[in-house]
Each structure stands twice: as structure tokens, then as C-alpha cells.
Amino acid sequence: MDNADTTNRPILIAGPCAAESEEQVLETARALVSCRPILRAGLWKPRSQPDTFQGAGDKGLAWLRRVTEETGLPTATEITTPEQLRAALLAGVSYVWIGARTAANPIDVQTLATTLRTLLATGEATGLKGVMVKNAMHEDAPLWIGNIRRIQEAVSGCHIPVWAVHRGCNHLPCWGMAYDLREAVPEVPLLLDPSHLSGDAEQIAPLCRKAAELAYDGLMIEVHPSPRSALSDARQQITPEQMLEIWKALPKTQERASDLPLRWLRAMMDEVDDQLWQTIQRRMAISRRIGEWKRQEGVAVRQPARFEDILTQRIKKETKNGLTRETIVAICQALHEESIRQQ
Ligand code: PEP
Ligand code: MN
């Protein structure tokens, strides 16, 4: 029994970004067997560069079959075309997912949904245990929700669960997008993919704790026997030993804390604050360049007319959006004084 069958325990999907060899996939599965994950491994990798590893392709299906035969673990892989979907199901892969690149195009998602419906009708998908839908690379909650609805429609009446996988957008979490999804389709289990969300192996453990705090229903994590030599996503993969340690430390049952909405709102606020401070740092970098120019041209650092202009424009614009004049003045003054110091 895989842990997805155990009620009230987070779902765990773990394994390499890409299946690289039979030995690599089996070694990972054997090392993870004590936490009963769904063993993930990408076979058809949508890579941005043509001269990089594109995945083992069809021949890796036999490796995944070996995983199940030897360890009893169910397997999961990403599918991007109807042919891949059919091949994966015929080979006995139990879970398939739609990745971020495919998720960007609703026509592709609909084509996969329609194929899935046909395969279910013809009895070619009897081994299918679940379908996962990742968010696209850009922040678009309605697109993600729409893709989930397309798959839900395809599997309706077949008792096949559909799960959402939150993988962030270009290494930004976009907690707000996941919150919108939760609100729109509360019946859909939500999993966090901290590997693609952060792109950083160091961030996996803290993000798993965050997922528990925000009552995610599960995790999808990239695990490789020797991450540094991985053929794709080397910086974000963790070792099986690290995975077991993280899994052991996580709460075993899902907590539905009464302050859950507040926790989500704070996660969103922290993300906005990160962006705000990054923006302030960018402003200061520009200030330093302005300072250099002023020095070269012999112009005074402090230019009261320019500051008055900035302030007037900002008050006009932001009071319309509901901020008080005092707050706008205080923020403008603080930014201006720091800019002067940087110059
Ligand atoms: C993956 O899971 O290996 C993958 C390619 O993910 P994403 O589609 O989220 O980039
Ligand atoms: Mn990957």
C-alpha cells in the first residue's frame, strides 16, 4: 500500500527529476521504500535547451515497471502528449502529471483530457490511480483551476482522484495563486513541489515545514542518489537520506488549525515584503549610479525640486488608492533620505 491510500497522512511523491538509468531509479526507490512514496521520475523532459538531456524516453518505462515489481511502490511520470499518456498507462504507471510547460496551453491540456477519457472508456487506463496538474510557469490561478476542471471532467465517474501540484513561478512561491485554487476547488488535494518552487536543495526542508503549517495535502520532492551529478535540476535535488530525515520530522497527521486563513495571508504578505525589499535594493542601486553621474558633472546630490515633484505625483496617485497622505510622505521621505546616503 502506498501512502496515498492512508487517510489523513500527507501524500508523498518522491524520486529523481529524470530517470537516467535503471540502476539510478531502482537505487532511489530502494532507499525511499520505508516512507512508501509514489516514486516519481520524468521520462520525457521538456527542457529549454536542445543540447541538454531530454530524458530516457520510452525505454525508461521498463525501469519504472521494475520499481513496482521489486519494491511494490507505485510510480508517477510527467506526460506531455497523448502518445506518452497511452504509453505510460500501458506500461503500468499508476500516476501521471501534467507539467508546468504543458499547463500553459489549455488546448494541450484538453487534448490530454480527451485522450484520457477515451483510454478510460476503452479499458486501457485500468491501472490509473490518479492525475496531477501542476500550475504553469506564470502566475495564473484561473488557468490552473481551468486545467483541473478539464481533467476532472475527463475522469468523472471513474473514481480517479485529481490533485493540484503547486510548483511556484520562476522561483517565486505565488502563495496567493495556491490560496485562490484552494478556495475555488476545495475538494482537490493540494500538494507542494518545493523542488521546483525554490530551485534550491537547501530550501526543501523549510518549505516542507511551511507546507505542513499551511495544511497542504502532500508533497512532490525531487530525490536523486547523487544530486550533484544529476542530468537535470542538479541544484534542487536532495539525497534519499535527506528525504527520509525530512519525512520523519514532519507531522504525521494533517492539522487544520483554526488560524489557517491567517497563516496563508501571512505567507502572502511575507512574499510581498520580500519583493518590496528587493525593489528597494534595486532603487538604491540606481541611486548609486545617479550619485556617480552627479559627482562627475559637479551637480549637488540633494535636488529639492525633484523630490517635491516625486512627492506631489505620488500623493496624487496613491491617495486615490486609499493610502493616507501621512504614510505616503513618510515612505517617500525615508526612501529619499536613504537614496541621498547611498549617493
Ligand atoms: C518535473 O517535475 O520534473 C518538472 C519538469 O516539473 P515542472 O513541470 O513543474 O517544471
Ligand atoms: Mn525537475
Side-chain angles (χ1 to χ4, degrees), residues 36 45 49 58-59 75-76 85 108 128 133 145-146 160 168 188 196 205 209 220 222 224 234 243 256 273 275 315 337:
R36 309 303 304 163
K45 299 301 296 176
Q49 298 308 313
D58 292 34
K59 72 170 183 289
T75 57
L85 172 58
D108 289 343
L128 183 66
V133 183
I145 296 160
I160 290 170
V188 173
H196 292 92
R209 288 194 292 273
M220 181 192 268
E222 288 193 337
H224 191 287
M243 181 68 253
R256 286 254 163 216
D273 279 351
Q275 289 167 340
I315 289 168
E337 285 311 315

Side-chain angles (χ1 to χ4, degrees), residues 100 135-141 144 166-175 177-178 193 196-198 271 275:
N135 66 276
M137 302 285 275
H138 60 291
E139 185 167 6
D140 190 339
W144 192 14
H166 173 208
R167 49 90 70 221
C169 306
N170 298 311
H171 300 164
L172 282 177
C174 302
W175 298 114
M177 175 178 64
D193 171 350
H196 292 92
L197 186 145
S198 68
E271 184 178 344
Q275 289 167 340

